[in-house]
Amino acid sequence: ILSHSLSTIKEKFMPIYLDNAATTKVDSRVLEAMLPYLQNEFGNPSSIHSLGRKAKAAIEKTRKIVAASLNVSPSEICFTSCGTEANNTALLGAVKNLGVKHIVSSPTEHHCILHFLSFLEKNHGTQIHYLTVDKNGHINLEELSLLLQKLEDKTLVSLMHGNNEIGTMIDLEKVSQLCQENEILLHSDMVQTYAHFPIDLQKTPVHFMACSGHKFHGPKGIGFLYTDGDVQISPLIYGGAQERNMRAGTENISGIIGLGKAVELAMEEMEEHTAHIRGLRDYCKAQLLANFEGLEFNGDIEGAALYTVLNVSFPSDPRLEMMLFNLDIEGICASGGSACSSGVDTGSHVLQAINADPMRPSVRFSFSKFNTKEEVDILIAALTKIIKPAVAV
Ligand code: PLP
């Protein structure tokens, strides 16, 4: 009884977590699947004894689960430490091994793409072409098409499927089609969309895609790179022969198992969770509009966008600059943009790219299957406390 009451009290004082685009809570079924591999099944997958073989078999089983979720071959899946590593591996491989001289991308990509593009430009002489984006963060497909027809040397298009800050999604089918027509390589950072949207790589081919376990209730420290079997790139990390010589280092076996379980759950429960999360986001938007004036939503909120993300700009008021801090005091975790930039003094490069008013404080609320309508009501009450006195004076 005591431990039950303690856990109820703990739950009660847990902050309301509305920062699921930054990371998600590990599903208890995922944790349960992982635990044996941290305890009794702790073998090194490279060992030839029984414990090692068991670990190796568990990894290969997970590789099949991931491959099936994308309708590709298991040999095309390489486990990495995170989405960042998967993105870096694809970009470097394209330049080093596939002779890519031009990369076409967008200014709203995650920093693990943008900063790596700067590295390639500086150290490998790669020419980087940034597409323009409109006020919702959409690229211009016409501009992309004209550019792809014009570029003569080997080219890679690298575009994220869904934007982590404002939620805007590209039309992956059209981009894939354009790349096929022009014989261009395509990489997509699908960290925010994989396991949230159905993705069939037979229907929508890409050459590379990067994913990360902690964005869909799997653990941190595990991701994967899909590489089309027709292209071959070299590793980012050298050493042992793990991951079919594609990624050296003893495998994060519990992480791989956790990712696999999270994929299974996401595939089974996707429809239900999509409806629940979309409902919460729409309810939050409606409540914000009903209670506050002068709001603006960033991203293509009514169109092609992640259903998990609601990015809102509040009126320009110096007292609202501390919005995230004040929300935190009220027990609400949200973000002012990409989590990877938090603590850095510069504004969001995504909001800059869409010409959002720099004077207006923006907050990204991002939802998961674990959020409830009651939590949104608490958020609105907290915002009322923060905003109304600030704006009324
Ligand atoms: N790409 C996008 C779109 C992301 O949102 C993130 C994480 O915030 C990453 C890449 C990096 O993933 P990871 O944290 O697994 O390195």
Side-chain angles (χ1 to χ4, degrees):
I1 292 170
L2 181 64
S3 88
H4 176 73
S5 338
L6 279 178
S7 69
T8 317
I9 291 168
K10 245 197 215 155
E11 287 269 305
K12 235 181 166 163
F13 289 102
M14 277 291 286
I16 291 174
Y17 188 76
L18 299 176
D19 200 12
N20 290 281
T23 194
T24 55
K25 178 177 171 174
V26 170
D27 189 298
S28 53
R29 294 166 291 178
V30 168
L31 179 63
E32 209 178 301
M34 291 170 70
L35 282 175
Y37 293 90
L38 290 162
Q39 295 174 320
N40 297 336
E41 309 288 345
F42 61 89
N44 185 324
S46 297
S47 301
I48 53 167
H49 50 62
S50 61
L51 270 189
R53 291 198 309 274
K54 263 182 149 174
K56 177 92 180 142
I59 291 179
E60 294 317 313
K61 192 173 158 207
T62 305
R63 201 186 307 281
K64 282 188 189 152
I65 293 168
V66 173
S69 74
L70 293 166
N71 196 13
V72 298
S73 156
S75 62
E76 295 173 309
I77 303 297
C78 171
F79 292 113
T80 61
S81 66
C82 58
T84 298
E85 186 192 324
N87 277 322
N88 280 213
T89 307
L91 295 178
L92 188 65
V95 169
K96 263 190 12 187
N97 311 115
L98 306 177
V100 162
K101 300 277 182 260
H102 299 274
I103 298 183
V104 179
S105 193
S106 127
T108 59
E109 295 291 305
H110 190 272
H111 276 148
C112 70
I113 295 282
L114 292 178
H115 291 171
F116 205 76
L117 292 179
S118 302
F119 164 82
L120 290 173
E121 192 173 31
K122 233 189 202 165
N123 298 281
H124 293 263
T126 315
Q127 285 194 46
I128 314 295
H129 308 262
Y130 292 102
L131 299 167
T132 50
V133 291
D134 67 16
K135 66 178 188 355
N136 285 329
H138 280 303
I139 55 157
N140 183 332
L141 286 167
E142 188 77 12
E143 183 189 17
L144 176 63
S145 172
L146 289 174
L147 185 59
L148 295 187
Q149 287 169 47
K150 203 178 82 185
L151 294 174
E152 281 175 1
D153 294 322
K154 194 87 183 250
T155 300
L156 171 83
V157 168
S158 179
L159 290 170
M160 71 200 318
H161 193 196
N163 186 278
N164 50 301
E165 291 195 40
I166 57 173
T168 301
M169 288 175 72
I170 57 163
D171 186 337
L172 190 64
E173 255 170 61
K174 288 230 174 86
V175 171
S176 169
Q177 215 176 332
L178 279 178
C179 288
Q180 288 171 66
E181 283 164 17
N182 292 282
E183 293 180 22
I184 301 285
L185 291 163
L186 173 59
H187 165 55
S188 188
D189 173 346
M190 300 206 199
V191 165
Q192 293 289 342
T193 52
Y194 175 68
H196 294 280
F197 290 84
I199 295 165
D200 183 335
L201 294 183
Q202 298 308 318
K203 285 195 189 135
T204 313
V206 300
H207 295 90
F208 305 101
M209 82 178 267
C211 296
S212 180
H214 71 101
K215 305 289 186 179
F216 52 94
H217 307 288
K220 293 170 186 60
I222 188 70
F224 70 86
L225 172 67
Y226 158 81
T227 306
D228 178 348
D230 288 342
V231 296
Q232 192 116 46
I233 57 167
S234 54
L236 195 67
I237 297 172
Y238 288 87
Q242 291 91 350
E243 293 299 288
R244 298 177 174 80
N245 285 313
M246 253 315 289
R247 204 265 178 189
T250 300
E251 297 88 336
N252 174 1
I253 170 96
S254 61
I256 291 172
I257 300 300
L259 179 140
K261 186 67 188 176
V263 169
E264 275 186 325
L265 295 173
M267 296 303 146
E268 281 164 27
E269 301 169 357
M270 192 179 288
E271 220 173 293
E272 180 195 331
H273 293 153
T274 304
H276 173 71
I277 300 165
R278 193 184 290 282
L280 282 181
R281 187 197 66 161
D282 292 350
Y283 177 67
C284 186
K285 183 186 169 218
Q287 288 300 306
L288 285 168
L289 287 172
N291 285 279
F292 309 106
E293 281 175 5
L295 303 183
E296 264 179 31
F297 294 96
N298 299 306
D300 189 8
I301 186 95
E302 302 297 342
L306 301 174
Y307 54 81
T308 43
V309 167
L310 187 64
N311 189 313
V312 55
S313 287
F314 291 92
S316 166
D317 183 313
R319 285 158 299 179
L320 292 185
E321 276 167 19
M322 301 290 279
M323 177 75 88
L324 284 178
F325 180 70
N326 288 325
L327 279 170
D328 196 26
I329 289 174
E330 295 298 322
I332 292 163
C333 300
S335 169
S338 167
C340 311
S341 319
S342 58
V344 177
D345 206 21
T346 55
S348 146
H349 66 284
V350 177
L351 295 179
Q352 267 174 35
I354 62 167
N355 279 324
D357 183 347
M359 301 310 288
R360 294 170 71 112
S362 294
V363 181
R364 178 189 68 184
F365 300 109
S366 47
F367 305 92
S368 86
K369 61 182 181 182
F370 293 128
N371 290 122
T372 63
K373 229 170 142 195
E374 289 68 37
E375 289 181 325
V376 175
D377 293 336
I378 296 171
L379 164 70
I380 299 296
L383 282 170
T384 306
K385 212 166 135 188
I386 298 164
I387 293 176
K388 292 268 160 91
V391 178
V393 185

